[in-house]
Amino acid sequence: MKSVTTSPPNPTDPVGSEADPLRPEVDVVLPCLDEADALPWVLARIPSGWRALVVDNGSTDGSAEIARGLGATVVREARRGFGAACHAGLTAATADIVCFCDCDASLDPRLLVPFVREVRAGETDLVLGRRRPESRGAWPAHARAGNLALARMLRRRTGLRLHDLGPLRAARREPLLALGLTDRRSGYPLQMVVRAADAGWRVTEHDVPYLPRTGASKVTGTWRGTWQAVRDMSRVLAEPPPTTVSRTPADPPPPAHPTAPNDPPTPHS
């Protein structure tokens, strides 16, 4: 059994360019709902040559205008929901590799550089960031409680053990689209991992520093939001696995599902 990698990445590592001159090297999907205060910090940290796709999910604080003024491409998604915003960004992307990152200044987009390097080199199919809180207030107690409710269900459903199901991640665009993701709420990040595991993808995990977010969380900022996320994810875990497994990434066949220490996964915050 291959273990999930948990070594901390180096955000200054270079990423070699193989980009088509007519499209960005990497697209970074940033789901956004009223993140005007956080956007300048986040967008200033998008690596050179990459494109920020800010998916405005109904903001009323001028987030879309701020993002556009800072050079980001703004995608409008009227349907509310974290998954709806993420998938709108994925379908709008044109780069070979697509990354996802929260837009609340809790995660530094520069940490995606080594993620992209690994995917581009064919070393893995999906890279996830394992959030490591930098302060006590960065991770609410009710979000941790949600982890406990999901851990056993995730392991029973897929055999895949991860420390976190956080929003910082990278994979190739076409295989991601081929997963046929349908959840448009809080279950989207989990559904991506579940369907990737069903398809035999290699999944890698790296530690990343997790900062206190700017503003209030729309998902796990309250007990109600946390348990709604748990319900969404429970619904995803109840989906039956496919009768046949077809591995979509064009890399060498993977080993069995990766494993990691028995820490619980984490819903999106």
Short mmCIF file of all heavy atoms in Angstrom, two decimals, residues 6-47:
data_model
loop_
_atom_site.label_atom_id
_atom_site.label_comp_id
_atom_site.label_asym_id
_atom_site.label_seq_id
_atom_site.Cartn_x
_atom_site.Cartn_y
_atom_site.Cartn_z
N THR A 6 3.12 13.36 3.03
CA THR A 6 2.74 14.43 3.94
C THR A 6 3.87 15.42 4.20
O THR A 6 3.81 16.20 5.12
CB THR A 6 2.28 13.85 5.30
OG1 THR A 6 3.34 13.05 5.84
CG2 THR A 6 1.03 13.02 5.14
N SER A 7 4.91 15.39 3.38
CA SER A 7 6.02 16.33 3.57
C SER A 7 5.60 17.73 3.17
O SER A 7 4.83 17.92 2.24
CB SER A 7 7.21 15.89 2.73
OG SER A 7 6.86 15.84 1.37
N PRO A 8 6.09 18.76 3.89
CA PRO A 8 5.72 20.13 3.54
C PRO A 8 6.33 20.56 2.22
O PRO A 8 7.53 20.34 2.00
CB PRO A 8 6.27 20.96 4.71
CG PRO A 8 7.39 20.13 5.26
CD PRO A 8 6.97 18.70 5.06
N PRO A 9 5.54 21.16 1.30
CA PRO A 9 6.10 21.61 0.04
C PRO A 9 6.86 22.90 0.19
O PRO A 9 6.66 23.64 1.15
CB PRO A 9 4.85 21.83 -0.82
CG PRO A 9 3.79 22.20 0.17
CD PRO A 9 4.10 21.43 1.43
N ASN A 10 7.72 23.18 -0.76
CA ASN A 10 8.46 24.44 -0.79
C ASN A 10 7.80 25.37 -1.81
O ASN A 10 7.87 25.12 -3.01
CB ASN A 10 9.92 24.18 -1.19
CG ASN A 10 10.74 25.45 -1.20
OD1 ASN A 10 10.21 26.55 -1.02
ND2 ASN A 10 12.04 25.32 -1.41
N PRO A 11 7.13 26.44 -1.35
CA PRO A 11 6.40 27.30 -2.28
C PRO A 11 7.29 28.05 -3.24
O PRO A 11 6.80 28.67 -4.18
CB PRO A 11 5.65 28.25 -1.34
CG PRO A 11 6.43 28.26 -0.08
CD PRO A 11 7.01 26.88 0.04
N THR A 12 8.60 28.05 -3.04
CA THR A 12 9.49 28.77 -3.95
C THR A 12 10.05 27.88 -5.05
O THR A 12 10.76 28.36 -5.92
CB THR A 12 10.66 29.38 -3.18
OG1 THR A 12 11.44 28.33 -2.60
CG2 THR A 12 10.16 30.30 -2.06
N ASP A 13 9.73 26.58 -5.01
CA ASP A 13 10.23 25.69 -6.06
C ASP A 13 9.71 26.13 -7.42
O ASP A 13 8.54 26.46 -7.57
CB ASP A 13 9.77 24.25 -5.81
CG ASP A 13 10.53 23.60 -4.67
OD1 ASP A 13 11.55 24.18 -4.25
OD2 ASP A 13 10.11 22.53 -4.21
N PRO A 14 10.55 26.13 -8.46
CA PRO A 14 10.09 26.55 -9.78
C PRO A 14 9.21 25.49 -10.42
O PRO A 14 9.32 24.31 -10.13
CB PRO A 14 11.40 26.72 -10.56
CG PRO A 14 12.33 25.77 -9.90
CD PRO A 14 11.98 25.77 -8.44
N VAL A 15 8.34 25.94 -11.29
CA VAL A 15 7.50 25.04 -12.09
C VAL A 15 7.87 25.25 -13.54
O VAL A 15 7.70 26.34 -14.08
CB VAL A 15 6.01 25.32 -11.86
CG1 VAL A 15 5.17 24.47 -12.79
CG2 VAL A 15 5.63 25.06 -10.42
N GLY A 16 8.35 24.24 -14.19
CA GLY A 16 8.74 24.38 -15.58
C GLY A 16 7.55 24.65 -16.47
O GLY A 16 6.46 24.12 -16.27
N SER A 17 7.71 25.48 -17.47
CA SER A 17 6.61 25.84 -18.34
C SER A 17 6.54 24.93 -19.56
O SER A 17 7.52 24.67 -20.22
CB SER A 17 6.78 27.29 -18.82
OG SER A 17 5.81 27.62 -19.77
N GLU A 18 5.32 24.42 -19.78
CA GLU A 18 5.06 23.71 -21.03
C GLU A 18 3.76 24.25 -21.62
O GLU A 18 3.03 23.57 -22.30
CB GLU A 18 4.94 22.20 -20.75
CG GLU A 18 3.85 21.83 -19.76
CD GLU A 18 3.77 20.34 -19.50
OE1 GLU A 18 4.82 19.67 -19.59
OE2 GLU A 18 2.68 19.85 -19.24
N ALA A 19 3.50 25.52 -21.30
CA ALA A 19 2.22 26.11 -21.64
C ALA A 19 2.10 26.43 -23.12
O ALA A 19 3.05 26.83 -23.77
CB ALA A 19 2.01 27.40 -20.84
N ASP A 20 0.89 26.25 -23.62
CA ASP A 20 0.51 26.75 -24.93
C ASP A 20 0.50 28.27 -24.83
O ASP A 20 -0.07 28.83 -23.90
CB ASP A 20 -0.90 26.21 -25.25
CG ASP A 20 -1.38 26.61 -26.63
OD1 ASP A 20 -1.06 27.74 -27.06
OD2 ASP A 20 -2.08 25.82 -27.25
N PRO A 21 1.14 28.98 -25.76
CA PRO A 21 1.18 30.44 -25.66
C PRO A 21 -0.19 31.09 -25.71
O PRO A 21 -0.34 32.24 -25.32
CB PRO A 21 2.04 30.85 -26.87
CG PRO A 21 2.00 29.70 -27.80
CD PRO A 21 1.88 28.48 -26.93
N LEU A 22 -1.21 30.34 -26.16
CA LEU A 22 -2.55 30.90 -26.24
C LEU A 22 -3.38 30.64 -25.00
O LEU A 22 -4.53 31.05 -24.93
CB LEU A 22 -3.28 30.31 -27.47
CG LEU A 22 -2.63 30.60 -28.82
CD1 LEU A 22 -3.43 29.95 -29.94
CD2 LEU A 22 -2.52 32.11 -29.05
N ARG A 23 -2.83 29.99 -24.00
CA ARG A 23 -3.58 29.74 -22.78
C ARG A 23 -2.65 29.82 -21.59
O ARG A 23 -1.43 29.70 -21.72
CB ARG A 23 -4.28 28.38 -22.82
CG ARG A 23 -3.35 27.18 -22.85
CD ARG A 23 -4.17 25.89 -22.89
NE ARG A 23 -3.30 24.73 -22.87
CZ ARG A 23 -3.75 23.48 -22.92
NH1 ARG A 23 -5.04 23.23 -23.01
NH2 ARG A 23 -2.91 22.46 -22.88
N PRO A 24 -3.21 30.04 -20.39
CA PRO A 24 -2.36 30.16 -19.21
C PRO A 24 -1.68 28.85 -18.85
O PRO A 24 -2.15 27.77 -19.23
CB PRO A 24 -3.35 30.58 -18.11
CG PRO A 24 -4.67 30.06 -18.58
CD PRO A 24 -4.64 30.19 -20.08
N GLU A 25 -0.58 28.95 -18.11
CA GLU A 25 0.10 27.74 -17.63
C GLU A 25 -0.81 26.94 -16.72
O GLU A 25 -0.91 25.71 -16.81
CB GLU A 25 1.36 28.12 -16.86
CG GLU A 25 2.47 28.72 -17.69
CD GLU A 25 3.69 28.99 -16.82
OE1 GLU A 25 4.00 28.15 -15.96
OE2 GLU A 25 4.32 30.05 -16.99
N VAL A 26 -1.45 27.65 -15.78
CA VAL A 26 -2.29 27.04 -14.77
C VAL A 26 -3.46 27.97 -14.51
O VAL A 26 -3.30 29.19 -14.49
CB VAL A 26 -1.51 26.82 -13.45
CG1 VAL A 26 -2.41 26.27 -12.35
CG2 VAL A 26 -0.31 25.90 -13.67
N ASP A 27 -4.64 27.40 -14.31
CA ASP A 27 -5.80 28.17 -13.86
C ASP A 27 -6.04 27.89 -12.39
O ASP A 27 -6.03 26.72 -11.96
CB ASP A 27 -7.06 27.80 -14.65
CG ASP A 27 -7.14 28.50 -16.00
OD1 ASP A 27 -6.75 29.69 -16.07
OD2 ASP A 27 -7.60 27.88 -16.98
N VAL A 28 -6.25 28.95 -11.61
CA VAL A 28 -6.54 28.82 -10.18
C VAL A 28 -7.98 29.26 -9.95
O VAL A 28 -8.32 30.43 -10.14
CB VAL A 28 -5.59 29.66 -9.32
CG1 VAL A 28 -5.88 29.43 -7.83
CG2 VAL A 28 -4.14 29.34 -9.64
N VAL A 29 -8.83 28.31 -9.58
CA VAL A 29 -10.25 28.60 -9.33
C VAL A 29 -10.41 29.10 -7.90
O VAL A 29 -10.01 28.43 -6.94
CB VAL A 29 -11.10 27.34 -9.56
CG1 VAL A 29 -12.57 27.61 -9.20
CG2 VAL A 29 -10.99 26.88 -11.01
N LEU A 30 -11.00 30.28 -7.77
CA LEU A 30 -11.19 30.93 -6.48
C LEU A 30 -12.67 31.21 -6.26
O LEU A 30 -13.18 32.25 -6.69
CB LEU A 30 -10.38 32.23 -6.42
CG LEU A 30 -8.87 32.10 -6.56
CD1 LEU A 30 -8.25 33.43 -6.98
CD2 LEU A 30 -8.26 31.62 -5.26
N PRO A 31 -13.42 30.30 -5.64
CA PRO A 31 -14.84 30.57 -5.37
C PRO A 31 -14.96 31.75 -4.41
O PRO A 31 -14.27 31.83 -3.40
CB PRO A 31 -15.33 29.26 -4.73
CG PRO A 31 -14.11 28.59 -4.22
CD PRO A 31 -12.99 28.99 -5.12
N CYS A 32 -15.86 32.66 -4.73
CA CYS A 32 -15.88 33.94 -4.02
C CYS A 32 -17.31 34.37 -3.69
O CYS A 32 -18.15 34.48 -4.58
CB CYS A 32 -15.20 35.01 -4.87
SG CYS A 32 -15.22 36.67 -4.16
N LEU A 33 -17.55 34.62 -2.41
CA LEU A 33 -18.81 35.21 -1.96
C LEU A 33 -18.47 36.26 -0.90
O LEU A 33 -18.11 35.92 0.23
CB LEU A 33 -19.75 34.15 -1.39
CG LEU A 33 -21.07 34.67 -0.80
CD1 LEU A 33 -21.87 35.42 -1.85
CD2 LEU A 33 -21.88 33.52 -0.21
N ASP A 34 -18.53 37.52 -1.30
CA ASP A 34 -18.25 38.64 -0.40
C ASP A 34 -16.87 38.53 0.26
O ASP A 34 -16.74 38.45 1.48
CB ASP A 34 -19.34 38.75 0.67
CG ASP A 34 -20.69 39.13 0.10
OD1 ASP A 34 -20.72 39.82 -0.94
OD2 ASP A 34 -21.72 38.71 0.67
N GLU A 35 -15.84 38.55 -0.58
CA GLU A 35 -14.46 38.45 -0.10
C GLU A 35 -13.65 39.68 -0.48
O GLU A 35 -12.45 39.60 -0.76
CB GLU A 35 -13.79 37.19 -0.67
CG GLU A 35 -14.48 35.89 -0.35
CD GLU A 35 -14.34 35.47 1.11
OE1 GLU A 35 -13.80 36.26 1.91
OE2 GLU A 35 -14.81 34.37 1.46
N ALA A 36 -14.30 40.85 -0.49
CA ALA A 36 -13.63 42.07 -0.92
C ALA A 36 -12.37 42.36 -0.10
O ALA A 36 -11.36 42.82 -0.65
CB ALA A 36 -14.60 43.26 -0.82
N ASP A 37 -12.40 42.10 1.19
CA ASP A 37 -11.24 42.42 2.03
C ASP A 37 -10.08 41.47 1.80
O ASP A 37 -8.91 41.84 1.97
CB ASP A 37 -11.65 42.37 3.51
CG ASP A 37 -12.60 43.49 3.89
OD1 ASP A 37 -12.63 44.52 3.18
OD2 ASP A 37 -13.31 43.34 4.90
N ALA A 38 -10.39 40.23 1.43
CA ALA A 38 -9.33 39.22 1.27
C ALA A 38 -8.73 39.20 -0.12
O ALA A 38 -7.59 38.76 -0.29
CB ALA A 38 -9.89 37.84 1.61
N LEU A 39 -9.47 39.63 -1.12
CA LEU A 39 -9.03 39.48 -2.50
C LEU A 39 -7.67 40.09 -2.81
O LEU A 39 -6.85 39.44 -3.49
CB LEU A 39 -10.09 40.06 -3.45
CG LEU A 39 -11.23 39.13 -3.81
CD1 LEU A 39 -12.37 39.91 -4.44
CD2 LEU A 39 -10.75 38.04 -4.76
N PRO A 40 -7.35 41.30 -2.37
CA PRO A 40 -6.03 41.84 -2.70
C PRO A 40 -4.88 40.95 -2.20
O PRO A 40 -3.90 40.74 -2.93
CB PRO A 40 -6.03 43.21 -2.00
CG PRO A 40 -7.48 43.59 -1.95
CD PRO A 40 -8.20 42.30 -1.68
N TRP A 41 -4.99 40.42 -1.01
CA TRP A 41 -3.96 39.53 -0.47
C TRP A 41 -3.84 38.26 -1.29
O TRP A 41 -2.74 37.82 -1.63
CB TRP A 41 -4.30 39.20 0.99
CG TRP A 41 -3.25 38.43 1.74
CD1 TRP A 41 -2.26 38.95 2.52
CD2 TRP A 41 -3.09 37.01 1.79
NE1 TRP A 41 -1.49 37.94 3.06
CE2 TRP A 41 -1.98 36.73 2.63
CE3 TRP A 41 -3.78 35.94 1.21
CZ2 TRP A 41 -1.55 35.43 2.91
CZ3 TRP A 41 -3.35 34.64 1.48
CH2 TRP A 41 -2.25 34.40 2.31
N VAL A 42 -4.97 37.67 -1.62
CA VAL A 42 -4.98 36.41 -2.37
C VAL A 42 -4.43 36.60 -3.78
O VAL A 42 -3.53 35.87 -4.22
CB VAL A 42 -6.40 35.82 -2.43
CG1 VAL A 42 -6.43 34.59 -3.33
CG2 VAL A 42 -6.89 35.44 -1.02
N LEU A 43 -4.93 37.58 -4.49
CA LEU A 43 -4.54 37.75 -5.89
C LEU A 43 -3.09 38.19 -6.03
O LEU A 43 -2.44 37.89 -7.04
CB LEU A 43 -5.48 38.75 -6.56
CG LEU A 43 -6.93 38.26 -6.70
CD1 LEU A 43 -7.81 39.34 -7.31
CD2 LEU A 43 -7.01 36.98 -7.53
N ALA A 44 -2.57 38.88 -5.04
CA ALA A 44 -1.15 39.28 -5.08
C ALA A 44 -0.22 38.07 -4.99
O ALA A 44 0.96 38.17 -5.32
CB ALA A 44 -0.85 40.26 -3.95
N ARG A 45 -0.75 36.92 -4.59
CA ARG A 45 0.05 35.72 -4.40
C ARG A 45 -0.19 34.66 -5.47
O ARG A 45 0.32 33.54 -5.35
CB ARG A 45 -0.22 35.15 -2.99
CG ARG A 45 0.42 36.01 -1.91
CD ARG A 45 -0.17 35.78 -0.54
NE ARG A 45 0.60 36.54 0.46
CZ ARG A 45 0.46 37.85 0.66
NH1 ARG A 45 -0.41 38.55 -0.07
NH2 ARG A 45 1.19 38.47 1.58
N ILE A 46 -0.89 35.00 -6.53
CA ILE A 46 -1.03 34.08 -7.65
C ILE A 46 0.30 34.04 -8.40
O ILE A 46 0.83 35.08 -8.79
CB ILE A 46 -2.15 34.53 -8.60
CG1 ILE A 46 -3.50 34.55 -7.87
CG2 ILE A 46 -2.21 33.62 -9.83
CD1 ILE A 46 -3.99 33.19 -7.42
N PRO A 47 0.90 32.87 -8.60
CA PRO A 47 2.20 32.80 -9.27
C PRO A 47 2.18 33.41 -10.68
O PRO A 47 1.16 33.37 -11.37
CB PRO A 47 2.48 31.29 -9.33
CG PRO A 47 1.75 30.74 -8.15
CD PRO A 47 0.48 31.55 -8.08
#
